[in-house]
Amino acid sequence: MRNSGNSNKNNNKGENDFAEMEYMNITIVTSNEPYGISDSSNPFFYKRTPKFNLTLGGVHSGHVQRGLRDPICISRSGKGNCKDGYTKETSGPDSVRVLVATRAKPSKNFNSELDREFYDNFLEVLNRPEETGRFNFSTQFRYYREELFIANLSNTQLGGKPVVFDMDMSAGDFLSLFYLLKVPVEIIDLKAVIVSPTGWANAATIDVVYDLFHMMGRDDIPIGLGDMFALNQSEPGFPSAGDCKYAKAVPQGCGGFLDSDTLYGLARDLPRSPRRNTAENSVANGAPRDTDRPEIRQPLALEVWQNLTKSVNEVSKSKITVLTNGPLTSLAKIISSEVYIVGGHISREKSDKGNVFTVPLNAYAEFNMFLDPLAAKTVLESGLNITLIPLATQRKFSFQPMLNRLYSSAKTPEARFVKRLLARLQALHQNHRRYTHIDMVLGEILGAVFLGGDHASLKPKLRVEHIKVIAEENESKDGQILIDKLRGKQIKILERVDLRGCYVSFASRLDDKKQSAVIGSFEEQRKKWNTPPSSETSMLD
């Protein structure tokens, strides 16, 4: 937008070095022809008086597209004919006067291979030595190198319960993952992690899971990325697009995305791991192969599961346990033999409400069920051996007793990181209104502790119930769990545990020197990458 030739600060003509400029009356079209006919889809003209003084019969007064497969927007040829979001030149109160670049100016350098002036300028500016990029890992650190930390289990008596952890990358899920990695492999053998982007975090934050595994010396554990949308919510002809009907309920703050961002801010203290990408079986599992670097691809959840079941023997395969702390999207496509589900809510009375507070009409659902109700119904009514850890049991956890245990120990890098994260979340919970519900993350550790802890100290009490899940595409009911003694599926429900035993088990396990971090932080990596290999002390000692 440079205008170096015009010294007049009040540039009324909109002169520009790189484009021919013109004032136009334009608008962003929000509806479609025929204009002026209301079918209740248009919120601007839903009642007699139009909003914002818009004109009946103007470009904002027609049908508004409802979803990707809106039949009004698809012609017989299969091509779309709706114009929501188009920029259009128009007049009257439906438009605003805007300075528009109508044409790029040709290059002044006749010897240039580029035919636009802004092309030449763009490359010239990028190549200036001033303010140039200074750092990347290989130049910033003289002895930088990528390496993978693979656990040496050759002298370990394997035979622990094979477990797959299905998480949605909330802060509570990372606390649980730390715990699972600290339980001796003779008790729990964590085989894989599946990440569901239909819940608490953006899919790109899967990088933090890689960093956590690298810190703990377990770069051998595969990580699979699940579907972006809930069951039946993706576009059949274009799976990368879909409907966020349920995911839109995840709040900003209050136990939602902002709280996960608190974790990801602290996560830069974690050591940075090499990314483990693959192109194996990508076409068979629906991954795109139309990129310049098809070998750099995140393995998919179903792909990881298939590779896992191929690698274990038939006896182990029939005993794989899944611990899921998020929406059941991935699990509904996999279906295993034994499942521990952290989530769900069974109301005993009208005042016993769920936690989907962003959808006021739905008072009795829990987020993990609501975010993909069809997947929840598929899994919970599948007849699998299911143990449900409901919201009522999770709600009994609180920050301070857990922090008291961590403050009295916290000698390992992983214990210090967890203590810092919980302390930050507690401070937010106490001081900011938007973090009212952030204590939800604490209850998510209960599944990991119940799976890998000492039941003698946890003193769990379970009951058997017959339940059904509502999945009717009705946002006021979807995700609710009801008792149905006649037609419901039988599951086990964890009613209560000894809270003190849980706090002690979690804190003491994290502070155990066995299976501890092989590299504690990014700061340790910096020192390592600045030290010659000959004088470097092994991080494994």
Side-chain angles (χ1 to χ4, degrees), residues 367-431:
F367 263 113
N368 286 345
M369 304 296 114
F370 177 82
L371 289 171
D372 196 338
L374 182 57
K377 185 177 182 68
T378 301
V379 174
L380 286 169
E381 298 183 10
S382 65
L384 298 176
N385 182 6
I386 291 176
T387 300
L388 185 73
I389 303 169
L391 187 60
T393 308
Q394 297 177 54
R395 280 173 165 162
K396 296 173 183 177
F397 279 71
S398 57
F399 280 112
Q400 198 56 54
M402 178 68 78
L403 280 169
N404 289 342
R405 289 289 170 184
L406 289 169
Y407 280 132
S408 64
S409 54
K411 299 180 181 66
T412 64
E414 56 271 22
R416 290 195 296 269
F417 182 87
V418 168
K419 179 188 72 175
R420 186 181 176 195
L421 174 60
L422 286 176
R424 182 66 56 85
L425 294 178
Q426 182 192 40
L428 291 170
H429 180 60
Q430 293 173 340
N431 299 324

Side-chain angles (χ1 to χ4, degrees), residues 263-406:
L263 164 69
Y264 305 131
L266 292 174
R268 283 283 44 90
D269 289 344
L270 296 174
R272 179 178 172 82
S273 79
R275 301 301 177 236
R276 294 180 271 135
N277 304 107
T278 179
E280 296 177 6
N281 302 323
S282 57
V283 176
N285 289 280
R289 293 302 302 272
D290 56 354
T291 62
D292 292 334
R293 298 286 300 278
E295 73 278 8
I296 300 181
R297 186 186 62 76
Q298 167 61 47
L300 303 179
L302 190 58
E303 183 180 345
V304 166
W305 177 262
Q306 290 172 345
N307 290 338
L308 172 62
T309 54
K310 288 177 184 176
S311 65
V312 299
N313 58 48
E314 291 301 319
V315 176
S316 298
K317 188 183 302 183
S318 64
K319 294 182 178 180
I320 292 177
T321 297
V322 176
L323 169 63
T324 175
N325 275 24
L328 305 181
T329 310
S330 298
L331 188 55
K333 293 192 172 185
I334 291 172
I335 299 297
S336 184
S337 58
E338 184 178 10
V339 181
Y340 289 76
I341 299 173
V342 180
H345 181 59
I346 301 175
S347 299
R348 296 295 184 184
E349 52 190 37
K350 286 189 175 181
S351 61
D352 186 13
K353 296 185 178 181
N355 66 354
V356 190
F357 52 88
T358 50
V359 184
L361 291 177
N362 195 327
Y364 301 104
E366 186 269 342
F367 263 113
N368 286 345
M369 304 296 114
F370 177 82
L371 289 171
D372 196 338
L374 182 57
K377 185 177 182 68
T378 301
V379 174
L380 286 169
E381 298 183 10
S382 65
L384 298 176
N385 182 6
I386 291 176
T387 300
L388 185 73
I389 303 169
L391 187 60
T393 308
Q394 297 177 54
R395 280 173 165 162
K396 296 173 183 177
F397 279 71
S398 57
F399 280 112
Q400 198 56 54
M402 178 68 78
L403 280 169
N404 289 342
R405 289 289 170 184
L406 289 169

Side-chain angles (χ1 to χ4, degrees), residues 65-105:
Q65 184 173 355
R66 293 172 168 176
L68 292 172
R69 307 298 295 177
D70 188 331
I72 295 178
C73 296
I74 300 176
S75 63
R76 292 182 179 179
S77 65
K79 295 183 178 180
N81 55 19
C82 282
K83 298 181 179 179
D84 308 70
Y86 277 47
T87 303
K88 184 174 183 176
E89 187 175 6
T90 183
S91 60
D94 289 350
S95 66
V96 292
R97 190 168 183 259
V98 175
L99 184 62
V100 178
T102 58
R103 180 175 175 270
K105 291 182 177 180

